[in-house]
Amino acid sequence: MRVVVYREAARTGPMRLVVLVALAGLIAGPFAAADDAPAPPPEAAAPAASPDAAPTPALVRVSSSFEIKHAAAVLKQVAKLFSAGFVRKDAERVAAEIDAQPAEQSRVWDFTAIRKGKSYALRVRARPDEFGDLDLDFFSPPEISAEVRSAVDHYLNGRGL
């Protein structure tokens, strides 16, 4: 009986392997066909980094959620941290754009803000919902993320939000 089982396995083993490889090809087909995908338009392509360019530091997310009516005040509170690049007028413009933003759609604004003479990347992401609440996230380098968090919390906690 052992010989029969061994011979049966020897005959069906390669066939099983072929079937498994074929199934894997079917499953991976959409992913493996990357060469067939259209190339992104030239303006969407990321510029090549020069060998001397420093790597971009990871940004830290400072997240908050509150009623949309507080957006301008929170943005202005964060804008107080910077001397240029993201100041009061920028906060007011972003707040006005958030007010006009459709519910359940995210929007992102990127700034190069100056704090104590040094440039920092600052990204603001807003997503209002249909109930009048807003998810507002700030993305900043680690060295200023605590100050951004403090500015957001200062306004929200000061009003019991």
Side-chain angles (χ1 to χ4, degrees), residues 7 25 67 88-89 153:
R7 286 183 186 159
E67 290 179 76
R88 184 182 183 98
K89 69 176 178 63
D153 289 348

Side-chain angles (χ1 to χ4, degrees), residues 61-68 70 74 127-129 132-138 149 152-153 156 161:
R61 178 179 171 201
V62 173
S63 184
S64 59
S65 186
F66 48 83
E67 290 179 76
I68 200 166
H70 299 287
V74 171
R127 182 178 178 90
D129 70 14
D133 289 329
L134 176 68
D135 290 334
L136 186 64
D137 300 323
F138 294 92
R149 173 87 268 164
V152 171
D153 289 348
L156 296 175
L161 302 175

Side-chain angles (χ1 to χ4, degrees), residues 2-102:
R2 284 187 180 159
V3 173
V4 173
V5 171
Y6 177 75
R7 286 183 186 159
E8 184 66 26
R11 282 193 318 211
T12 62
M15 180 55 99
R16 286 183 183 164
L17 181 61
V18 169
V19 170
L20 288 174
V21 169
L23 286 173
L26 289 174
I27 293 170
F31 305 108
D35 293 340
D36 297 336
E43 63 272 16
S50 69
D52 299 332
T56 304
L59 299 178
V60 175
R61 178 179 171 201
V62 173
S63 184
S64 59
S65 186
F66 48 83
E67 290 179 76
I68 200 166
K69 67 183 182 181
H70 299 287
V74 171
L75 288 160
K76 288 177 196 174
Q77 192 70 35
V78 172
K80 289 179 183 180
L81 297 172
F82 305 103
S83 59
F86 184 72
V87 293
R88 184 182 183 98
K89 69 176 178 63
D90 300 305
E92 290 169 348
R93 178 180 58 83
V94 170
E97 291 176 15
I98 290 171
D99 285 339
Q101 188 174 333

